[in-house]
Amino acid sequence: MNKLQFKGEWHELKGKLRQKFADLTDDDLAYTEGQEEELLGHLQKKLGKSQEEITQLINTP
């Protein structure tokens, strides 16, 4: 998923992640354009999953 798609679909992705991982907060899911790597790293640490697993969760329809 490129940055534009990531930005355009972020609200939908955020809802999907919250449904799957109820302990995620608004702060955990704070996204600023250009900081995709930081967000992925934070989610990886919070959820105890690899970056590949997080990327797969985000990219799964």
Side-chain angles (χ1 to χ4, degrees):
M1 178 176 296
N2 66 37
K3 290 180 186 177
L4 182 60
Q5 289 173 323
F6 188 80
K7 180 182 174 189
E9 297 175 1
W10 180 237
H11 293 290
E12 181 180 332
L13 291 170
K14 191 164 58 168
K16 181 174 137 182
L17 288 170
R18 279 196 190 161
Q19 286 178 351
K20 190 161 181 102
F21 304 101
D23 60 332
L24 290 176
T25 66
D26 285 337
D27 289 340
D28 293 329
L29 297 170
Y31 166 69
T32 303
E33 186 174 356
Q35 294 185 335
E36 292 84 3
E37 291 297 320
E38 288 89 348
L39 174 65
L40 290 174
H42 180 77
L43 290 175
Q44 180 180 357
K45 183 177 178 180
K46 176 84 177 195
L47 300 174
K49 302 212 177 273
S50 71
Q51 189 167 358
E52 290 175 356
E53 289 173 309
I54 299 296
T55 302
Q56 185 176 20
L57 283 170
I58 291 172
N59 288 332
T60 302

